[in-house]
Every structure is written in structure tokens, then in C-alpha cells.
């Protein structure tokens, strides 16, 4: 299968849980979706609503056990999610950069050429101190 890219609607829900308290954010935006023999990639421009205005976020899924979340722009980040492995990753914020530990618990990849669903659950720590549990639920639809 050769890579093809198409415009899509991305419906995303992000849940962050700290000490049993959950905060949810929902986003509906236009973006791009591409698939190849090796992966599925979803990209969208961030906005003031996400706190990363002037950045572009890309989620690339290679399997049910490996994915990356990359953000380009003023606050660049590169997170690696690999089931049952901890990765030390660069995370940029408008206030400065830091190294975070990312431990992926689950990646459920139900993406196909026309879009679909993606679920990721992971834990973030800084200096081995627990920060939060995170879930990302994405629905990708052709325009």
C-alpha cells in the first residue's frame, strides 16, 4: 500500500487523572490522516484551546504496542509509547522543556484506510515521581 494523505475530522478526548481526580478535554478539529504499510499518522494544528497555539501535533501508530506523539513549533515534544516499557522523552511547554518518563499501558489501534478509532493509556513521571495517568481517545472521520 502506498502512502496516501487525506483531510479528516478529528474528535479527540483527553483524560488526565491525578490522585483520583480526572480532568477531561475534548477537541474537534480538521487535520490530516495518512496510512502506509508501516503506520497510520494523524496530524492537526494546535490552538489556544490546547495551550499550544502555533504548534502542530502528530500521532503515529505503528502497532497495538508502539506509537509516538510529536509536537512541532514553539513547544516541541517527542513522546514514545511502547507497551510495558518506560521511555524518557522530551516534553516542551510554553514555560520550558523537561524530560519525562512515559510508560504505556494500552494502545488499541482500530485505524484503517478510511479512519477509525485509537485509544492510548499511559503514565507520566518526572524524575521517577508520578505525575498523572493519561488517556487519549481519537475518532478519525473522512471529510
Amino acid at each position: 500500500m502506498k502512502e496516501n494523505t487525506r483531510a479528516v475530522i478529528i474528535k479527540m478526548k483527553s483524560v488526565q487523572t491525578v490522585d483520583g481526580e480526572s480532568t477531561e478535554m475534548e477537541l474537534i478539529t480538521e487535520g490530516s490522516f495518512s496510512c502506509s504499510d508501516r503506520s497510520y499518522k494523524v496530524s492537526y494544528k494546535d490552538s489556544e484551546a490546547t495551550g499550544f497555539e502555533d504548534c502542530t501535533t502528530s500521532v503515529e501508530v505503528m502497532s497495538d504496542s508502539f506509537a509516538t506523539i510529536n509536537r512541532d513549533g514553539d513547544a516541541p515534544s517527542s513522546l514514545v509509547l511502547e507497551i510495558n516499557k518506560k521511555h524518557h522523552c522530551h516534553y516542551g511547554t510554553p514555560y520550558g522543556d523537561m524530560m519525562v518518563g512515559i510508560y504505556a499501558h494500552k494502545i488499541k489501534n482500530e485505524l484503517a484506510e478510511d479512519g477509525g478509532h485509537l485509544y492510548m493509556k499511559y503514565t507520566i513521571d518526572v524524575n521517577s515521581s508520578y505525575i498523572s495517568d493519561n488517556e487519549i481517545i481519537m475518532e478519525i472521520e473522512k471529510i
Side-chain angles (χ1 to χ4, degrees), residues 22-141:
S22 294
T23 304
E24 293 185 12
M25 181 185 83
E26 292 191 37
L27 174 70
I28 299 174
T29 189
E30 289 186 24
S32 66
F33 177 69
S34 62
C35 56
S36 69
D37 290 335
R38 294 168 280 137
S39 67
Y40 297 96
K41 186 175 183 178
V42 180
S43 296
Y44 59 92
K45 291 210 179 283
D46 285 286
S47 66
E48 194 176 313
T50 64
F52 295 101
E53 191 173 13
D54 298 325
C55 292
T56 299
T57 297
S58 298
V59 178
E60 188 167 9
V61 184
M62 288 64 139
S63 67
D64 279 337
S65 62
F66 192 86
T68 60
I69 303 172
N70 292 299
R71 186 173 55 240
D72 297 323
D74 294 339
S77 296
S78 183
L79 306 181
V80 176
L81 285 75
E82 187 173 6
I83 297 298
N84 297 325
K85 289 189 179 179
K86 182 177 177 179
H87 287 269
H88 293 91
C89 304
H90 172 259
Y91 187 79
T93 74
Y95 310 103
D97 298 351
M98 65 179 105
M99 291 298 288
V100 295
I102 304 292
Y103 184 88
H105 301 281
K106 185 170 187 167
I107 299 172
K108 187 174 181 183
N109 177 11
E110 295 178 336
L111 296 172
E113 284 188 41
D114 291 333
H117 301 274
L118 175 63
Y119 173 83
M120 299 182 290
K121 183 175 182 177
Y122 56 97
T123 299
I124 298 177
D125 70 61
V126 174
N127 294 330
S128 296
S129 293
Y130 169 83
I131 298 296
S132 63
D133 288 310
N134 301 270
E135 296 174 88
I136 296 175
I137 303 107
M138 296 180 99
E139 184 178 330
I140 314 302
E141 298 175 353

